[in-house]
Amino acid sequence: MDHFQYRQGRLCAEDVDLEDIADSVGTPAYVYSTATLERHYRVLSEALAPVAPTICFAIKANPNLAVIATLARLGAGADVVSGGELATALAAGVPAGRIVFSGVGKSADEMRAALAAGVLQINVESEPELELLDRVAREMGLRAPTALRVNPDVDAHTHDKISTGRCEDKFGIEWTAAHRIYARATSLPGLDLAGVAVHIGSQLTDVGPFREAFRRLRDLVFMLRADGLVIRTLDLGGGLGVPYGNEDDGVPTPADYAAAVADTVGDLGCRILFEPGRMLVGNAGVLLTRVVRIKEGSTRTFVIVDAGMNDLLRPALYDAWHNIVPAREPESSAEWSDVDVVGPICETSDTFASQRRMPPLAEGDLLAIRTAGAYGRAMGSAYNVRSLTPEIMVAGSRFALVHERVSVDDMLARQHLPPWLVSRPSALTGSTIVPAAGKARSG
Ligand code: LLP
């Protein structure tokens, strides 16, 4: 359930007409719904209530400060994977004691920043990383709260590029080595070893692989405890899929997921951490875009829109399917036809929908690309020198620009010609090249 609905034929985010947002901010633009974020957080936390969850929003899915602050107000912590994400979570008001630091390539500086902030836990993914964390913590006169992320060698049956729990994936400490490495880690004085973590992939549409991975985690906990090792926390990662609208069998509900958790690890007496990303924010966001023109080909009709793969990469990168709907509800008598909805970027992969049945569309029409709240703006780029997409937050009948468009001028101001190219006539054209913006550094 989300709060993007047609009202009197106009698509609204809660009580706000999306046309009003597009008129005031321009397109393309991301729009998030507070009520939807709140609903998703509540549904998940209520489903998991029997295991008293610590829910750490994976902010890689959406690092917008307003989104994080909305969830933090409900009690969410954060799962971060870089110094930048750590700074963002703290800036959004997430208490350090509710932040988990994950990621396979943490630098010493990032470890220092996490320890200085006082994060809840650092999930370590290799032996060399354990040694580095031990050294950094000792230098700071601290003990690092540490969990070992293990790779359970379970296939999540999701897109290959977002599967993380098979032994050939780069993530986690190999299942078979976990016991030995955990025992070794407990002997490192800079580490306060608290538990184990697992994350097998994203957009899982079946709870089976979760159950399998959590059962393996359970076996590991028994093995470690039998050796007298202490396991206080279990971090079960994220990964629960959301409905994009093209699934044959739907996706598991938070209740299905919670049952898998309770059945497998609910009785271990551990504090259980979760790192949901997509599930909290995916359906809470849309990407607004306008039709630039319709191009009729001999075999296809192309609806060219002003959003591109730089604004929303998922279709190009994962062949992801996103529902695309017009902001004005189609008449019941409208004749639908198959079209390709494409962006303006110079790549064929810049295609949002191929041979998609759509109602009649014309230049200037506003469309909403649905379920774009997760890994949308977060993975955006300025490819083809396009501005970075602005973000708007809606709450009831109010809306606010919460992330300004990063304009081409903003970006050009950060580029500098080297001194040898400044104010010299170009050999080819005879024209003069000057710094594009700002002052060139001399040197
Ligand atoms: N925890 C860890 C350690 C992760 O690596 C991830 C996602 C999550 C939690 C959150 O997973 P979620 O609940 O959102 O599935 N860009 C891709 C998804 C990449 C996911 C990366 N890791 C996409 O657009 O589908």
Side-chain angles (χ1 to χ4, degrees):
M1 225 294 276
D2 60 65
H3 292 262
F4 295 93
Q5 314 283 346
Y6 287 110
R7 291 196 188 166
Q8 279 113 40
R10 321 274 292 223
L11 188 60
C12 294
E14 304 185 26
D15 301 333
V16 179
D17 186 335
L18 288 175
E19 287 275 6
D20 291 344
I21 296 180
D23 287 345
S24 102
V25 180
T27 54
Y30 278 97
V31 179
Y32 307 124
S33 151
T34 301
T36 311
L37 289 169
E38 291 177 344
R39 179 178 190 281
H40 289 174
Y41 185 82
R42 288 215 176 92
V43 168
L44 185 65
S45 52
E46 280 166 24
L48 291 172
V51 299
T54 298
I55 297 178
C56 298
F57 169 50
I59 69 171
K60 64 172 78 63
N62 191 322
N64 181 283
L65 287 181
V67 168
I68 303 168
T70 300
L71 295 170
R73 255 200 345 201
L74 302 175
D79 163 52
V80 304
V81 293
S82 69
E85 285 195 357
L86 174 65
T88 304
L90 293 169
V94 180
R98 296 183 74 82
I99 296 178
V100 174
F101 201 122
S102 308
V104 71
K106 294 171 214 78
S107 69
D109 279 348
E110 287 175 323
M111 291 174 181
R112 253 176 238 117
L115 291 173
V119 298
L120 170 64
Q121 175 171 304
I122 300 181
N123 293 348
V124 170
E125 304 210 14
S126 66
E127 249 181 314
E129 189 191 341
L130 269 180
E131 280 155 19
L132 178 62
L133 181 60
D134 172 55
R135 204 166 59 238
V136 169
R138 279 189 287 112
E139 277 164 16
M140 294 175 76
L142 296 170
R143 292 184 75 210
T146 307
L148 223 58
R149 174 168 172 186
V150 297
N151 181 326
D153 195 18
V154 169
D155 189 338
H157 298 299
T158 181
H159 192 283
D160 194 48
K161 288 186 178 152
I162 51 175
S163 289
T164 54
R166 304 161 299 188
C167 64
E168 64 269 29
D169 298 322
K170 70 179 174 183
F171 299 98
I173 284 174
E174 282 192 20
W175 182 239
T176 43
H179 186 244
R180 173 182 65 76
I181 295 175
Y182 199 93
R184 157 127 209 275
T186 41
S187 70
L188 297 175
L191 305 184
D192 172 19
L193 218 55
V196 283
V198 72
H199 171 79
I200 58 171
S202 194
Q203 186 54 16
L204 270 72
T205 53
D206 175 10
V207 285
F210 283 125
R211 282 185 181 269
E212 212 178 319
F214 300 163
R215 259 189 240 116
R216 290 197 163 189
L217 212 59
R218 174 189 185 79
D219 293 346
L220 181 64
V221 170
F222 278 118
M223 262 167 70
L224 296 170
R225 284 185 174 163
D227 283 359
L229 300 169
V230 175
I231 304 282
R232 297 191 304 270
T233 69
L234 290 182
D235 179 342
L236 301 184
L240 182 58
V242 304
Y244 281 88
N246 65 330
E247 299 77 16
D248 294 333
D249 309 319
V251 297
T253 62
D256 299 331
Y257 175 76
V261 172
D263 291 350
T264 52
V265 293
D267 61 346
L268 294 179
C270 291
R271 176 176 186 183
I272 307 187
L273 277 49
F274 297 88
E275 302 171 353
R278 189 188 318 261
M279 188 270 154
L280 294 175
V281 294
N283 279 309
V286 300
L287 174 59
L288 290 183
T289 182
R290 277 198 197 278
V291 176
V292 175
R293 70 181 56 88
I294 310 288
K295 179 176 166 182
E296 299 285 355
S298 59
T299 59
R300 300 260 167 140
T301 297
F302 297 101
V303 175
I304 305 174
V305 297
D306 65 1
M309 62 192 279
N310 70 299
D311 301 295
L312 177 64
L313 184 61
R314 302 193 68 258
L317 192 59
Y318 314 114
D319 292 320
W321 194 98
H322 284 258
N323 197 8
I324 304 176
V325 296
R328 279 171 199 254
E329 194 169 18
E331 306 281 330
S332 54
S333 58
E335 278 193 32
W336 293 48
S337 61
D338 289 343
V339 299
D340 284 11
V341 181
V342 300
I345 303 262
C346 297
E347 292 212 24
T348 302
S349 58
D350 185 31
T351 297
F352 291 117
S354 192
Q355 292 301 278
R356 179 82 56 88
R357 203 127 197 98
M358 295 288 289
L361 292 171
E363 191 176 315
D365 282 358
L366 185 67
L367 302 175
I369 305 183
R370 304 288 315 265
T371 320
Y375 308 107
R377 177 62 169 80
M379 295 175 76
S381 75
Y383 185 40
N384 278 202
V385 191
R386 288 163 52 82
S387 58
L388 291 172
T389 335
E391 296 169 289
I392 292 92
M393 179 68 86
V394 171
S397 56
R398 292 179 298 171
F399 71 91
L401 177 63
V402 291
H403 195 166
E404 293 171 38
R405 185 182 302 282
V406 179
S407 70
V408 172
D409 282 347
D410 295 332
M411 294 188 277
L412 284 176
R414 298 198 164 264
Q415 291 202 53
H416 309 285
L417 284 175
W420 60 90
L421 288 180
V422 177
S423 300
R424 288 254 189 88
S426 154
L428 289 178
T429 63
S431 64
T432 300
I433 300 173
V434 291
K439 256 204 244 149
R441 293 204 186 95
S442 55

